Amino acid sequence: MTTYGTIPTSSSPQGPSGEYISRAKERIKAGLGARRPWKLMFNFRSFNFPSPFREVFGRIRSNVAYFRMNYAMVVLLILFLSLLWHPISLIVFIIMMAAWLFLYFLRDEPLVLFGKTVDDRVVLIVLAVVTIVLLFLTHATVNILVALLIGVVLVVVHAGLRKTDDLSVDEENSGLLTTPAASSSST
């Protein structure tokens, strides 16, 4: 029986690759869901110099914990822009990013090669070594290091100058941020 006006769904069952891709999409959406609003991050009324210099380290720690996804996106954008003039390095960067995503970040089950389970630390070490070696071979190492340095400096400056008193804490976070409302309700 044919039903008109309905949106067809896939009639064939998803294979293991389709299931893996849908799981990867869910994890990416969940990761991007941790991104904080850019308006909150760049609210210019929330910037000032901390009065005691010791407060800078607490601000950095709190802001990095709160805006970690935003900061990662900023650093990756700077890194991507630094590689635009090195197309081979950009291709290597994209390939290695895909390898990191599928072999390390988006994996639910342990990696199995030739019937043996590979430890996560081994995967991490091998991916790091391969990434470093391939980036050395592309002769863009200086660009990459300068881009990472610029990204880290921007993150530290932003995190040090942005006040943390207007940030709300989710219950599932580790409690690095303390807001006036949270501290008054606990007493």
Side-chain angles (χ1 to χ4, degrees):
M1 177 175 166
T2 305
T3 56
Y4 295 102
T6 61
I7 299 173
T9 59
S10 67
S11 58
S12 62
Q14 286 186 341
S17 63
E19 187 178 311
Y20 184 77
I21 290 172
S22 66
R23 241 190 348 229
K25 284 181 185 178
E26 289 173 14
R27 289 183 131 195
I28 289 171
K29 284 181 184 178
L32 289 177
R35 180 184 59 83
R36 304 297 181 172
W38 294 103
K39 278 185 174 182
L40 178 65
M41 186 175 174
F42 293 111
N43 182 2
F44 291 112
R45 284 179 248 124
S46 296
F47 288 92
N48 70 357
F49 290 102
S51 53
F53 187 70
R54 289 174 282 141
E55 186 181 327
V56 171
F57 300 111
R59 281 186 181 188
I60 291 172
R61 191 179 58 184
S62 297
N63 281 324
V64 166
Y66 192 79
F67 293 113
R68 67 181 169 267
M69 183 60 70
N70 298 66
Y71 288 148
M73 292 170 74
V74 167
V75 171
L76 286 174
L77 177 69
I78 292 169
L79 184 59
F80 175 78
L81 291 175
S82 76
L83 295 176
L84 285 178
W85 290 268
H86 295 275
I88 300 296
S89 299
L90 189 59
I91 292 169
V92 168
F93 176 73
I94 291 170
I95 290 171
M96 289 310 300
M97 199 164 197
W100 276 91
L101 281 173
F102 289 111
L103 294 175
Y104 191 73
F105 291 114
L106 298 179
R107 227 176 359 99
D108 285 338
E109 298 99 25
L111 185 65
V112 178
L113 289 176
F114 304 114
K116 300 206 182 229
T117 303
V118 181
D119 188 34
D120 278 346
R121 289 176 293 204
V122 173
V123 174
L124 177 71
I125 291 169
V126 168
L127 281 173
V129 168
V130 169
T131 302
I132 290 168
V133 167
L134 289 178
L135 290 177
F136 273 127
L137 292 176
T138 63
H139 303 294
T141 308
V142 173
N143 275 19
I144 293 164
L145 292 177
V146 168
L148 289 175
L149 181 67
I150 289 170
V152 168
V153 166
L154 284 176
V155 166
V156 168
V157 167
H158 178 272
L161 292 178
R162 193 187 187 295
K163 296 185 287 187
T164 58
D165 56 354
D166 63 338
L167 303 179
S168 62
V169 181
D170 296 334
E171 291 177 10
E172 59 225 26
N173 282 350
S174 61
L176 289 174
L177 300 174
T178 55
T179 59
S183 61
S184 66
S185 64
S186 63
T187 56

